Amino acid sequence: DKSTEVRCIVCDTLAGFGEDAREAMPALAASLKDKEVGPHAAQALGRMPKAAVGALKELEAAMQEKETRSAAAQVLGRI
């Protein structure tokens, strides 16, 4: 969806499913690039640490951005 609000809500919803939402990991990893959606995507990845291992490259890149740094660091600490 092109709506930032909708994408944030989707990320938040996926976070509630934890590892059961692991199939969404590639989309969540790609969403880390978006400064508004990225923190929500990182939180969702943090709820699926086993799957989040596949997003290490994207999480490391998110550490370079002020908007996503904190959330990405929390995820990296969980995996």
Side-chain angles (χ1 to χ4, degrees), residues 6-7 16-17 21 23 27-28 30 36-37 39-40 42 51 53-55 57-58 63 67 69 71 74-77 79:
V6 170
R7 289 183 292 149
F17 288 101
E23 291 180 17
L28 291 167
E36 291 185 44
V37 180
H40 296 268
V53 171
K57 179 180 173 183
E58 292 87 348
M63 290 289 295
E67 295 81 6
R69 183 175 298 131
Q74 289 177 4
V75 176
L76 289 169
I79 58 176

Side-chain angles (χ1 to χ4, degrees), residues 13-26 28 44 47-48 51:
T13 301
L14 288 170
F17 288 101
E19 289 289 345
D20 289 338
R22 63 188 165 273
E23 291 180 17
M25 187 281 297
L28 291 167
R47 299 290 304 271
M48 55 179 85

Side-chain angles (χ1 to χ4, degrees), residues 28-43:
L28 291 167
S31 295
L32 290 170
K33 295 177 185 176
D34 185 301
K35 293 181 181 185
E36 291 185 44
V37 180
H40 296 268
Q43 288 177 352

